[in-house]
Amino acid sequence: MKNKFYLNEFQFFDGESTIVFNIVEVNENSHTITVAVTRQGKISVVTYDLLMDNEGKLYFEYGCMYEKVRIDDFEG
């Protein structure tokens, strides 16, 4: 799974600025995703827990409002 999504990108507007996520690794064993997060010119590499919604789609929660970022929304 990790090779399928490697460096895929998703852009998210949080009401203040556009945040760009790039997938570094999806770890199915530990149910985590590591992404490079670019916000206001700063890049951070962060690992999030992977969750599954009612439709069986994987996502992680971002920010203080726990916005759902779905893996299927990333583009290669």
Side-chain angles (χ1 to χ4, degrees):
M1 184 185 233
K2 67 182 172 185
N3 291 335
K4 176 181 174 184
F5 293 109
Y6 183 69
L7 289 183
N8 283 7
E9 182 176 292
F10 176 70
Q11 294 186 16
F12 172 77
F13 184 72
D14 69 355
E16 220 175 85
S17 60
T18 299
I19 299 140
V20 178
F21 298 95
N22 291 96
I23 295 176
V24 176
E25 178 186 32
V26 175
N27 188 321
E28 292 183 61
N29 295 327
S30 63
H31 303 289
T32 59
I33 183 170
T34 303
V35 293
V37 182
T38 306
R39 181 175 186 204
Q40 297 178 341
K42 296 179 182 175
I43 300 172
S44 303
V45 177
V46 185
T47 300
Y48 296 100
D49 291 329
L50 270 178
L51 307 167
M52 190 175 293
D53 64 14
N54 294 336
E55 299 173 6
K57 301 201 181 217
L58 295 172
Y59 70 95
F60 62 93
E61 296 176 330
Y62 175 76
C64 61
M65 299 299 290
Y66 301 104
E67 298 284 342
K68 285 185 181 180
V69 178
R70 290 184 171 80
I71 304 301
D72 290 345
D73 292 339
F74 281 74
E75 297 178 0

